Amino acid sequence: IVSSKSVPLANKTSEELILPNKEILIDKIISDLFTDDTLLSERVSVQIINASEVPGMGKRLERVLSNMGANVVAVSTAGASERTSKIQYFGEETYTFKRIKNILHFPSSILDKQTIANIVITLGKDSINIKNF
């Protein structure tokens, strides 16, 4: 179910969508439906670090963000787990940063120096039960 808090209930509709079994086809359909053109055109680089100790968490988030149009350049596993998740950025608070922060609701901070990406998302143990991705 996809809805918006700002749309009045009387204007909301519901449609059923049956997706194929192949992930690549699902990603294509989802991408066509939910790509954020501003996010896509901004091309701000995003790195995801999985420090949750749960295999696949980083790849799950990558899939969601990529289908939205984000420029995910790296997904890796941290050498040690972290208790809390965070999102960090270098330079300006871009549209991409604000959009991802609004989705994830992770604490944020500015990076002192640029890494391989403008935005670094670290998934901690607190992200295990998140339903956003």
Side-chain angles (χ1 to χ4, degrees):
I1 297 176
V2 176
S3 64
S4 174
K5 293 179 184 177
S6 62
V7 176
L9 186 58
N11 293 344
K12 291 182 182 182
T13 61
S14 176
E15 297 288 330
E16 184 175 339
L17 176 65
I18 299 172
L19 297 172
N21 288 333
K22 294 185 180 181
E23 270 191 28
I24 196 159
L25 293 174
I26 292 171
D27 286 346
K28 171 76 173 115
I29 293 168
I30 298 297
S31 181
D32 288 347
L33 290 172
F34 299 109
T35 295
D36 182 326
D37 291 329
T38 304
L39 204 111
L40 184 64
S41 66
E42 197 171 57
R43 302 296 299 158
V44 173
S45 56
V46 178
Q47 175 185 12
I48 301 168
I49 302 169
N50 183 3
S52 69
E53 294 185 340
V54 176
M57 289 287 291
K59 293 301 269 179
R60 276 181 32 202
L61 180 57
E62 175 193 27
R63 187 174 181 198
V64 169
L65 295 179
S66 294
N67 282 334
M68 289 175 49
N71 180 27
V72 179
V73 296
V75 179
S76 61
T77 302
S81 66
E82 292 197 25
R83 201 169 55 84
T84 57
S85 302
K86 61 187 172 189
I87 180 170
Q88 299 171 289
Y89 65 97
F90 180 78
E92 302 292 318
E93 283 193 18
T94 61
Y95 173 84
T96 301
F97 168 76
K98 292 174 187 173
R99 181 82 164 98
I100 293 171
K101 185 176 183 211
N102 284 337
I103 292 168
L104 298 176
H105 304 287
F106 292 167
S108 64
S109 63
I110 191 163
L111 291 164
D112 295 332
K113 60 181 181 175
Q114 185 161 4
T115 63
I116 64 168
N118 298 93
I119 298 171
V120 179
I121 302 167
T122 303
L123 298 173
K125 290 182 178 183
D126 63 341
S127 67
I128 293 171
N129 294 318
I130 290 179
K131 306 232 186 287
N132 294 358
F133 63 93

